[in-house]
Amino acid sequence: MNKLLSANFMRLFKNKTFYLGMIFMFGLSLWAIIMRYRDIKRIPDYPASLDGLLFVGSIFFPIVISVFISIFIGTEYSDGTIRNKLITGHSRITVYLSNLIVCTVAAFLIHLIYIAVILCLGIPLIGNFQISAETLILSILCSLITVAAISAIFLLISMLIHSKAAGAVTAMILAIIFITSSLSIHQMITASEYYPPYVYIDDSGEVHQMEGEKNPAYLTGTKRAVYQALYDFLPSCQFLQFSNESDELIKDGKFVLFSANSIVIVTITTGAGILLFRRKNLK
Protein backbone atom coordinates (compact mmCIF):
# COMPACT_ATOMS: atom_id res chain seq x y z
CA MET A 1 0.00 0.00 0.00
CA ASN A 2 2.80 2.45 0.88
CA LYS A 3 4.46 1.97 -2.50
CA LEU A 4 1.14 2.48 -4.26
CA LEU A 5 0.42 5.65 -2.29
CA SER A 6 3.91 7.01 -2.95
CA ALA A 7 3.59 6.38 -6.69
CA ASN A 8 0.08 7.88 -6.81
CA PHE A 9 1.08 11.01 -4.93
CA MET A 10 4.02 11.48 -7.28
CA ARG A 11 1.57 11.28 -10.19
CA LEU A 12 -0.82 13.63 -8.43
CA PHE A 13 1.68 16.43 -7.98
CA LYS A 14 2.67 16.18 -11.63
CA ASN A 15 -0.93 16.09 -12.83
CA LYS A 16 -2.02 19.15 -14.83
CA THR A 17 -5.73 18.53 -14.25
CA PHE A 18 -5.18 18.70 -10.50
CA TYR A 19 -3.50 22.10 -10.77
CA LEU A 20 -6.17 23.35 -13.18
CA GLY A 21 -8.78 22.42 -10.57
CA MET A 22 -6.83 24.32 -7.92
CA ILE A 23 -6.53 27.35 -10.21
CA PHE A 24 -10.23 27.26 -11.03
CA MET A 25 -11.29 27.20 -7.37
CA PHE A 26 -8.72 29.91 -6.58
CA GLY A 27 -10.16 32.13 -9.30
CA LEU A 28 -13.71 31.36 -8.21
CA SER A 29 -12.94 32.46 -4.66
CA LEU A 30 -11.43 35.71 -5.92
CA TRP A 31 -14.50 36.35 -8.05
CA ALA A 32 -16.78 35.70 -5.03
CA ILE A 33 -14.81 38.17 -2.90
CA ILE A 34 -14.86 40.83 -5.61
CA MET A 35 -18.61 40.46 -6.12
CA ARG A 36 -19.27 40.75 -2.39
CA TYR A 37 -16.96 43.75 -2.13
CA ARG A 38 -18.79 45.48 -5.00
CA ASP A 39 -22.16 44.83 -3.33
CA ILE A 40 -20.91 46.36 -0.09
CA LYS A 41 -19.68 49.47 -1.88
CA ARG A 42 -22.72 49.82 -4.13
CA ILE A 43 -25.61 48.97 -1.80
CA PRO A 44 -26.16 51.11 1.32
CA ASP A 45 -26.35 49.18 4.59
CA TYR A 46 -25.17 45.97 2.91
CA PRO A 47 -23.72 43.79 5.71
CA ALA A 48 -19.92 43.84 5.59
CA SER A 49 -19.37 40.17 6.45
CA LEU A 50 -18.36 36.92 4.78
CA ASP A 51 -21.51 35.06 5.82
CA GLY A 52 -22.82 32.90 2.99
CA LEU A 53 -19.60 33.22 0.99
CA LEU A 54 -17.48 30.37 2.34
CA PHE A 55 -19.22 27.58 0.43
CA VAL A 56 -21.04 29.40 -2.34
CA GLY A 57 -18.43 28.24 -4.85
CA SER A 58 -18.89 24.63 -3.80
CA ILE A 59 -21.81 24.29 -6.19
CA PHE A 60 -19.20 23.87 -8.95
CA PHE A 61 -17.09 21.43 -6.95
CA PRO A 62 -18.74 18.22 -8.28
CA ILE A 63 -17.86 19.24 -11.85
CA VAL A 64 -14.25 20.08 -10.95
CA ILE A 65 -13.66 16.87 -9.03
CA SER A 66 -15.46 14.72 -11.60
CA VAL A 67 -13.12 15.97 -14.32
CA PHE A 68 -10.02 15.46 -12.20
CA ILE A 69 -10.80 11.96 -10.94
CA SER A 70 -12.04 10.64 -14.29
CA ILE A 71 -8.90 11.87 -16.09
CA PHE A 72 -6.53 10.85 -13.28
CA ILE A 73 -7.89 7.29 -13.12
CA GLY A 74 -8.54 7.10 -16.87
CA THR A 75 -4.88 7.82 -17.50
CA GLU A 76 -3.96 4.82 -15.33
CA TYR A 77 -6.07 2.62 -17.58
CA SER A 78 -4.85 4.11 -20.86
CA ASP A 79 -1.19 3.87 -19.80
CA GLY A 80 -1.61 0.34 -18.47
CA THR A 81 -0.57 1.45 -14.97
CA ILE A 82 -3.35 -0.38 -13.15
CA ARG A 83 -2.59 -3.65 -14.93
CA ASN A 84 1.12 -3.25 -14.15
CA LYS A 85 0.30 -2.74 -10.46
CA LEU A 86 -1.60 -6.00 -10.42
CA ILE A 87 1.13 -7.85 -12.30
CA THR A 88 3.71 -6.75 -9.71
CA GLY A 89 1.69 -8.40 -6.97
CA HIS A 90 -0.60 -5.69 -5.59
CA SER A 91 -4.15 -6.79 -4.84
CA ARG A 92 -7.14 -5.12 -6.44
CA ILE A 93 -8.35 -4.01 -3.01
CA THR A 94 -5.12 -2.11 -2.25
CA VAL A 95 -5.10 -0.60 -5.76
CA TYR A 96 -8.67 0.66 -5.28
CA LEU A 97 -8.09 1.97 -1.76
CA SER A 98 -4.84 3.71 -2.69
CA ASN A 99 -6.63 5.50 -5.52
CA LEU A 100 -9.45 6.43 -3.14
CA ILE A 101 -7.01 7.93 -0.61
CA VAL A 102 -5.06 9.94 -3.18
CA CYS A 103 -8.17 11.21 -5.00
CA THR A 104 -9.77 12.20 -1.68
CA VAL A 105 -6.65 14.09 -0.57
CA ALA A 106 -6.57 15.87 -3.94
CA ALA A 107 -10.25 16.77 -3.52
CA PHE A 108 -9.52 18.12 -0.03
CA LEU A 109 -6.79 20.38 -1.41
CA ILE A 110 -8.97 21.64 -4.25
CA HIS A 111 -11.78 22.36 -1.78
CA LEU A 112 -9.52 23.96 0.82
CA ILE A 113 -7.86 26.35 -1.63
CA TYR A 114 -11.23 28.06 -2.06
CA ILE A 115 -11.78 28.28 1.69
CA ALA A 116 -8.23 29.52 2.32
CA VAL A 117 -8.58 32.39 -0.15
CA ILE A 118 -11.94 33.43 1.31
CA LEU A 119 -10.45 33.49 4.82
CA CYS A 120 -7.08 35.05 3.99
CA LEU A 121 -8.27 37.72 1.55
CA GLY A 122 -11.93 38.08 2.43
CA ILE A 123 -11.49 38.90 6.12
CA PRO A 124 -9.08 41.85 5.67
CA LEU A 125 -10.92 43.15 2.59
CA ILE A 126 -14.57 42.66 3.58
CA GLY A 127 -14.82 41.79 7.26
CA ASN A 128 -15.30 38.81 9.53
CA PHE A 129 -18.14 36.33 9.86
CA GLN A 130 -21.26 37.07 11.88
CA ILE A 131 -21.86 33.40 12.54
CA SER A 132 -20.24 31.77 15.54
CA ALA A 133 -16.73 30.35 15.36
CA GLU A 134 -18.17 26.97 16.34
CA THR A 135 -20.45 26.95 13.32
CA LEU A 136 -17.63 28.02 11.05
CA ILE A 137 -15.22 25.31 12.22
CA LEU A 138 -17.84 22.56 12.24
CA SER A 139 -19.06 23.48 8.77
CA ILE A 140 -15.51 23.29 7.37
CA LEU A 141 -14.82 19.94 9.02
CA CYS A 142 -18.17 18.54 7.98
CA SER A 143 -17.66 19.81 4.41
CA LEU A 144 -14.48 17.73 4.19
CA ILE A 145 -16.48 14.59 4.94
CA THR A 146 -18.93 15.63 2.22
CA VAL A 147 -15.99 16.09 -0.16
CA ALA A 148 -14.86 12.55 0.67
CA ALA A 149 -18.32 11.26 -0.24
CA ILE A 150 -18.28 13.05 -3.60
CA SER A 151 -14.79 11.71 -4.31
CA ALA A 152 -15.87 8.14 -3.50
CA ILE A 153 -18.81 8.40 -5.92
CA PHE A 154 -16.73 9.60 -8.85
CA LEU A 155 -13.92 7.16 -8.10
CA LEU A 156 -16.44 4.31 -8.29
CA ILE A 157 -17.47 5.44 -11.78
CA SER A 158 -13.92 6.04 -12.98
CA MET A 159 -12.59 2.69 -11.70
CA LEU A 160 -15.33 0.80 -13.53
CA ILE A 161 -15.01 2.60 -16.89
CA HIS A 162 -11.61 1.94 -18.42
CA SER A 163 -12.05 4.45 -21.26
CA LYS A 164 -10.79 7.88 -20.18
CA ALA A 165 -13.13 9.72 -22.54
CA ALA A 166 -16.20 7.68 -21.60
CA GLY A 167 -15.38 7.96 -17.91
CA ALA A 168 -14.96 11.73 -18.11
CA VAL A 169 -18.24 12.20 -19.99
CA THR A 170 -20.15 9.93 -17.62
CA ALA A 171 -18.71 11.64 -14.54
CA MET A 172 -19.48 15.13 -15.87
CA ILE A 173 -23.05 14.17 -16.74
CA LEU A 174 -23.53 12.81 -13.23
CA ALA A 175 -22.02 15.98 -11.75
CA ILE A 176 -24.43 18.13 -13.73
CA ILE A 177 -27.33 15.93 -12.62
CA PHE A 178 -26.18 16.35 -9.01
CA ILE A 179 -26.10 20.13 -9.35
CA THR A 180 -29.40 20.60 -11.18
CA SER A 181 -31.30 18.15 -8.97
CA SER A 182 -29.86 19.75 -5.83
CA LEU A 183 -30.93 23.21 -6.94
CA SER A 184 -34.40 21.88 -7.72
CA ILE A 185 -34.70 20.12 -4.35
CA HIS A 186 -33.40 23.24 -2.57
CA GLN A 187 -36.00 25.41 -4.30
CA MET A 188 -38.83 23.04 -3.38
CA ILE A 189 -37.74 22.56 0.23
CA THR A 190 -37.24 26.29 0.89
CA ALA A 191 -40.40 27.43 -0.87
CA SER A 192 -42.81 29.47 1.28
CA GLU A 193 -46.07 27.88 2.29
CA TYR A 194 -47.95 31.08 1.43
CA TYR A 195 -47.45 33.74 -1.20
CA PRO A 196 -46.98 37.20 0.39
CA PRO A 197 -49.85 39.72 0.28
CA TYR A 198 -49.75 42.13 -2.64
CA VAL A 199 -51.45 45.22 -4.04
CA TYR A 200 -52.50 45.80 -7.63
CA ILE A 201 -54.37 48.48 -9.59
CA ASP A 202 -57.01 47.44 -12.12
CA ASP A 203 -57.83 49.14 -15.44
CA SER A 204 -60.22 51.57 -13.74
CA GLY A 205 -57.51 52.75 -11.38
CA GLU A 206 -58.99 51.08 -8.32
CA VAL A 207 -56.50 49.72 -5.78
CA HIS A 208 -56.99 46.15 -4.58
CA GLN A 209 -55.37 44.62 -1.49
CA MET A 210 -54.93 40.87 -1.86
CA GLU A 211 -54.28 38.53 1.02
CA GLY A 212 -51.51 35.97 0.92
CA GLU A 213 -52.47 32.77 -0.89
CA LYS A 214 -51.33 29.23 -0.19
CA ASN A 215 -48.54 28.00 -2.45
CA PRO A 216 -49.90 24.92 -4.30
CA ALA A 217 -46.34 23.68 -4.88
CA TYR A 218 -45.52 23.65 -1.15
CA LEU A 219 -44.41 20.18 -0.09
CA THR A 220 -46.31 18.46 2.70
CA GLY A 221 -46.59 15.03 4.29
CA THR A 222 -44.68 12.06 2.90
CA LYS A 223 -43.54 13.94 -0.20
CA ARG A 224 -41.87 16.60 1.91
CA ALA A 225 -40.25 13.94 4.11
CA VAL A 226 -38.77 12.24 1.03
CA TYR A 227 -37.43 15.50 -0.39
CA GLN A 228 -36.03 16.47 3.01
CA ALA A 229 -34.26 13.13 3.28
CA LEU A 230 -32.69 13.68 -0.16
CA TYR A 231 -31.82 17.25 0.80
CA ASP A 232 -29.88 16.01 3.80
CA PHE A 233 -28.39 12.93 2.10
CA LEU A 234 -27.05 14.14 -1.26
CA PRO A 235 -23.57 15.71 -0.91
CA SER A 236 -24.38 18.50 -3.37
CA CYS A 237 -27.48 19.39 -1.32
CA GLN A 238 -25.35 19.45 1.82
CA PHE A 239 -23.12 22.08 0.21
CA LEU A 240 -26.17 24.25 -0.47
CA GLN A 241 -27.04 24.08 3.23
CA PHE A 242 -23.44 24.80 4.24
CA SER A 243 -23.63 28.01 2.20
CA ASN A 244 -26.32 29.28 4.58
CA GLU A 245 -23.80 28.90 7.43
CA SER A 246 -26.58 29.07 9.98
CA ASP A 247 -26.27 28.26 13.64
CA GLU A 248 -29.54 26.37 13.14
CA LEU A 249 -27.48 23.55 11.59
CA ILE A 250 -25.94 22.98 15.02
CA LYS A 251 -29.22 23.30 16.91
CA ASP A 252 -30.91 20.82 14.57
CA GLY A 253 -28.00 18.40 14.70
CA LYS A 254 -27.56 18.67 10.94
CA PHE A 255 -23.76 18.52 11.06
CA VAL A 256 -23.94 15.09 12.70
CA LEU A 257 -26.58 13.95 10.19
CA PHE A 258 -24.57 15.25 7.22
CA SER A 259 -21.42 13.50 8.40
CA ALA A 260 -23.27 10.24 9.04
CA ASN A 261 -24.87 10.35 5.60
CA SER A 262 -21.54 11.07 3.92
CA ILE A 263 -19.85 8.21 5.78
CA VAL A 264 -22.65 5.90 4.61
CA ILE A 265 -22.05 7.04 1.00
CA VAL A 266 -18.29 6.45 1.29
CA THR A 267 -18.84 3.02 2.81
CA ILE A 268 -21.41 1.86 0.24
CA THR A 269 -19.61 3.21 -2.84
CA THR A 270 -16.24 1.92 -1.69
CA GLY A 271 -17.62 -1.53 -0.86
CA ALA A 272 -19.46 -1.71 -4.18
CA GLY A 273 -16.44 -0.36 -6.04
CA ILE A 274 -14.07 -2.93 -4.59
CA LEU A 275 -16.52 -5.77 -5.25
CA LEU A 276 -17.09 -4.75 -8.89
CA PHE A 277 -13.43 -3.89 -9.53
CA ARG A 278 -12.37 -7.35 -8.33
CA ARG A 279 -14.64 -8.85 -11.01
CA LYS A 280 -13.64 -6.41 -13.75
CA ASN A 281 -11.85 -7.78 -16.79
CA LEU A 282 -8.73 -5.64 -17.34
CA LYS A 283 -7.62 -7.11 -20.64
Side-chain angles (χ1 to χ4, degrees):
M1 175 71 85
N2 290 337
K3 291 182 178 179
L4 289 175
L5 289 174
S6 177
N8 279 349
F9 277 116
M10 287 181 63
R11 286 187 56 237
L12 172 65
F13 294 118
K14 295 179 181 178
N15 188 273
K16 294 180 180 179
T17 309
F18 168 66
Y19 289 109
L20 287 175
M22 296 275 284
I23 292 171
F24 177 82
M25 295 304 289
F26 179 87
L28 189 62
S29 60
L30 289 180
W31 178 83
I33 292 173
I34 292 171
M35 291 298 101
R36 176 62 61 86
Y37 183 79
R38 288 182 59 186
D39 288 340
I40 292 173
K41 294 299 182 181
R42 186 177 68 251
I43 303 174
D45 300 326
Y46 195 95
S49 76
L50 293 176
D51 283 21
L53 206 62
L54 193 60
F55 298 105
V56 69
S58 298
I59 188 174
F60 297 101
F61 182 77
I63 293 179
V64 175
I65 205 62
S66 69
V67 172
F68 162 70
I69 291 180
S70 61
I71 293 178
F72 185 79
I73 300 299
T75 301
E76 282 211 324
Y77 276 117
S78 62
D79 293 347
T81 305
I82 288 184
R83 185 162 46 183
N84 291 338
K85 290 177 180 178
L86 298 177
I87 292 174
T88 56
H90 297 288
S91 69
R92 296 199 180 204
I93 294 177
T94 55
V95 169
Y96 192 99
L97 292 178
S98 64
N99 284 336
L100 175 64
I101 292 171
V102 172
C103 287
T104 302
V105 170
F108 284 166
L109 295 175
I110 293 172
H111 176 60
L112 289 173
I113 189 66
Y114 179 93
I115 294 176
V117 174
I118 295 295
L119 295 176
C120 295
L121 297 182
I123 291 177
L125 186 62
I126 295 175
N128 214 322
F129 295 89
Q130 293 182 354
I131 58 172
S132 67
E134 180 186 10
T135 301
L136 182 63
I137 294 172
L138 283 176
S139 61
I140 293 175
L141 293 176
C142 188
S143 73
L144 291 175
I145 304 177
T146 303
V147 165
I150 294 176
S151 301
I153 293 171
F154 288 117
L155 180 70
L156 169 63
I157 295 171
S158 300
M159 289 295 289
L160 298 182
I161 303 176
H162 66 273
S163 170
K164 181 162 60 175
V169 171
T170 303
M172 286 191 65
I173 291 175
L174 180 59
I176 293 172
I177 291 174
F178 271 150
I179 293 173
T180 53
S181 60
S182 297
L183 291 173
S184 177
I185 293 172
H186 173 76
Q187 184 177 15
M188 297 180 74
I189 284 291
T190 58
S192 300
E193 185 174 2
Y194 291 91
Y195 293 121
Y198 62 95
V199 176
Y200 76 95
I201 302 176
D202 60 21
D203 294 337
S204 63
E206 185 177 355
V207 178
H208 297 268
Q209 177 76 37
M210 303 299 296
E211 298 295 331
E213 299 178 358
K214 188 173 179 62
N215 180 5
Y218 182 77
L219 299 175
T220 58
T222 303
K223 191 173 183 180
R224 185 172 188 84
V226 171
Y227 273 84
Q228 185 65 57
L230 289 173
Y231 193 49
D232 294 335
F233 185 77
L234 294 176
S236 47
C237 286
Q238 291 181 19
F239 273 134
L240 287 175
Q241 296 186 69
F242 288 144
S243 65
N244 295 327
E245 295 171 341
S246 171
D247 287 316
E248 294 299 322
L249 292 178
I250 293 180
K251 296 177 182 178
D252 296 341
K254 283 294 185 71
F255 284 132
V256 176
L257 178 60
F258 289 170
S259 297
N261 286 339
S262 295
I263 291 172
V264 168
I265 291 173
V266 172
T267 302
I268 292 175
T269 54
T270 301
I274 290 174
L275 180 63
L276 294 173
F277 181 62
R278 290 180 66 181
R279 299 179 179 180
K280 182 176 175 60
N281 187 345
L282 297 178
K283 291 182 179 180

